Amino acid sequence: MTEKDTAIFAGGCFWCMVQPFDTQPGIESVVSGYTGGHTVNPTYAEVASHTTGHTEAVKITFDPSIISYAQLVEIYWRQTDPTDASGQFQDRGDSYRPVIFVNSPAQRAAAEKSKAALAASGRFDEPIVTTIEDAQPFYPAETEHQDFYRKNPFRYQIEEMGGRQDFIQNKWR
């Protein structure tokens, strides 16, 4: 049996963070949820109230013999504005802050190396403010938030028009 690993990334609305990972070889699952806060088993409404300390995030289960954690971090950067600590695109507030949650020293080293390389690349004029934090308990979001891009393609498209796709086109292509 092949060893599986997990990665947790917060990059704004979790609806918009599933598809870029879900479509990669070696990805077993991408679950939308909440992490980094103090409320046990929060609801979407509680997280949206900005009182739980949680961020919307995705938990990715992957096969490291097919796709590496470092590759996942590179995909992550290309979905976010790493210079915006106050949210992502139209999604504002602490529940949308960009965070790489690491679950091992190896993941921390890979994330820090990647962040340093991005900062040194000159791609952005502003500092890279995405934080790298230890993984916290992850609480899967309600069923209606899972695989949102597949179940609600029109609403997903509207969310994507909030600036994320334009930013990706301008900064990452």
Side-chain angles (χ1 to χ4, degrees), residues 69-166:
Y69 181 76
Q71 287 172 298
L72 294 176
V73 172
E74 293 306 311
I75 294 166
Y76 168 78
W77 290 126
R78 286 163 176 72
Q79 311 315 310
T80 68
D81 176 354
T83 68
D84 185 353
S86 300
Q88 292 290 286
F89 313 106
Q90 80 273 24
D91 301 313
R92 310 313 302 157
D94 60 333
S95 62
Y96 299 115
R97 66 191 182 94
V99 185
I100 298 172
F101 290 98
V102 296
N103 64 29
S104 69
Q107 282 192 358
R108 180 173 289 281
E112 287 177 352
K113 179 180 177 184
S114 180
K115 182 177 177 179
L118 180 59
S121 73
R123 182 178 295 269
F124 295 96
D125 296 332
E126 301 87 19
I128 305 304
V129 296
T130 299
T131 59
I132 299 169
E133 300 176 16
D134 289 337
Q136 303 293 321
F138 182 90
Y139 302 100
E142 298 84 343
T143 304
E144 64 265 24
H145 298 295
Q146 304 304 330
D147 295 316
F148 191 86
Y149 79 99
R150 286 193 180 116
K151 294 190 281 191
N152 299 284
F154 182 69
R155 175 88 189 273
Y156 174 74
Q157 184 179 8
I158 291 169
E159 284 296 315
E160 286 289 276
M161 291 189 304
R164 187 182 297 265
Q165 283 307 315
D166 288 343

